[in-house]
Amino acid sequence: MTKLLYEGKAKKVFATDKPDHVVQYFKDDATAFNAQKRGTIVDKGVVNNKVASRLFQLLEEQGVQTHFIEQLSDREMLAKKVAIVPIEVVVRNIVAGSLAKRLGLKEGEKIEPVLVEFYYKDDALGDPLITEEHVRLMKLATPSVVEDIKKQARRVNEVLVPFFKERNMVLVDFKLEFGIHHNKLILADEISPDTCRIWDAKTGDVMDKDRFRKDMGKIEEAYQEVLKRVCG
Ligand code: TMP
Ligand code: ASP
């Protein structure tokens, strides 16, 4: 029996026989608006595991250290065990989502230079937007870790934007989580259609979780198409 260490909204994390390693199991459960909206996206877990595995592999090849070790099965990823830094790091190339809503900016406008935002990872508070000074106040990360996070987040963007572009997709924005492993900051969690905004480069069609958030239909089809373009 493997021990369940943690269950989140979209994943379960299990212990392995190595204290340093965990298995991330990707579920089909989907939530939005801090779990006020719930549903199932058939085979989402398979898509997200495969897409995240491919993207972590790519990032490793490009010198970004991640928790990824190997894809074990359709829904399982072997990863390094980390202590998650409780900050959701959002990188934005194009105005959309909460940025458009909060500041009244026009959706679809290019952001130059890219915007890196921090949100406090706390479901009870609804993951509020925070500044670096709040990070310091709450001791969520040291100033040098904050610098490292920003540098790595921008590097991830530099690697992923052209990768998606070559596959006829626009990487609008995405969310990253980092963790500490043996005193080193590494990229953790997942990068998938759940955690990115991806638009078709030609038609502008939404290919990510916004289809679920906004009840746009053809959710499974969009996830399968991302899988095909990323891994196919
Ligand atoms: P936002 O525009 O709603 O702030 O979302 C920015 C990006 O972060 C978008 O690509 C979706 C992703 N995201 C998550 O991965 N988890 C979340 O809980 C939220 C709110 C957004
Ligand atoms: N995953 C988040 C939740 O349910 C929200 C989102 O992705 O929109 O709470």
Side-chain angles (χ1 to χ4, degrees):
M1 270 283 280
T2 45
K3 191 176 159 228
L4 178 68
L5 297 176
Y6 169 82
E7 179 158 8
K9 286 174 280 201
K11 290 191 293 295
K12 292 180 187 177
V13 179
F14 293 97
T16 69
D17 50 15
K18 289 204 180 86
D20 241 17
H21 293 174
V22 294
V23 171
Q24 278 196 336
Y25 177 92
F26 289 74
K27 305 189 282 185
D28 286 351
D29 300 351
T31 63
F33 314 118
N34 204 17
Q36 288 178 66
K37 181 183 171 87
R38 288 174 184 276
T40 300
I41 302 173
V42 176
D43 283 345
K44 171 172 86 74
V46 178
V47 172
N48 286 1
N49 185 32
K50 289 181 176 174
V51 168
S53 292
R54 176 70 189 101
L55 297 178
F56 282 143
Q57 230 165 40
L58 170 76
L59 288 164
E60 287 278 351
E61 286 160 15
Q62 300 297 319
V64 178
Q65 296 202 28
T66 79
H67 72 155
F68 178 77
I69 300 171
E70 64 173 321
Q71 192 193 316
L72 295 176
S73 69
D74 273 2
R75 290 178 184 273
E76 291 168 312
M77 177 194 292
L78 185 65
K80 294 170 187 160
K81 188 173 184 177
V82 298
I84 287 283
V85 177
I87 300 173
E88 301 205 346
V89 182
V90 170
V91 180
R92 300 183 187 268
N93 295 298
I94 292 174
V95 174
S98 70
L99 178 68
K101 200 169 167 191
R102 181 180 308 110
L103 299 181
L105 299 178
K106 197 161 166 270
E107 184 138 340
E109 292 208 331
K110 197 166 165 49
I111 299 170
E112 195 110 64
V114 298
L115 184 64
V116 178
E117 296 175 330
F118 293 154
Y119 293 80
Y120 178 33
K121 189 174 156 64
D122 186 307
D123 283 341
L125 296 174
D127 299 341
L129 178 69
I130 53 174
T131 69
E132 284 184 47
E133 299 199 13
H134 295 119
V135 172
R136 197 179 317 143
L137 170 72
M138 302 186 62
K139 298 190 167 57
L140 303 179
T142 64
S144 80
V145 167
V146 168
E147 286 312 307
D148 202 5
I149 286 175
K150 288 195 289 185
K151 197 171 131 205
Q152 291 199 43
R154 291 197 183 96
R155 178 72 189 135
V156 169
N157 192 53
E158 282 168 11
V159 172
L160 295 188
V161 165
F163 179 86
F164 277 83
K165 191 173 179 195
E166 284 158 20
R167 288 157 181 80
N168 287 312
M169 294 176 281
V170 178
L171 185 60
V172 173
D173 56 33
F174 56 90
K175 184 265 295 178
L176 302 175
E177 292 183 28
F178 291 87
I180 307 287
H181 176 80
H182 294 311
N183 282 320
K184 211 177 154 37
L185 185 80
I186 61 176
L187 185 59
D189 193 54
E190 66 178 284
I191 308 175
S192 72
D194 269 15
T195 65
C196 299
R197 281 198 177 89
I198 304 161
W199 294 348
D200 182 274
K202 279 207 190 75
T203 63
D205 277 356
V206 171
M207 302 177 73
D208 57 72
K209 194 174 159 188
D210 269 351
R211 299 200 75 86
F212 171 78
R213 295 189 188 98
K214 299 181 181 175
D215 293 319
M216 297 168 80
K218 292 208 188 317
I219 306 170
E220 278 86 0
E221 289 87 339
Y223 273 67
Q224 290 298 331
E225 183 60 27
V226 172
L227 173 64
K228 201 168 107 190
R229 293 195 201 178
V230 168
C231 299

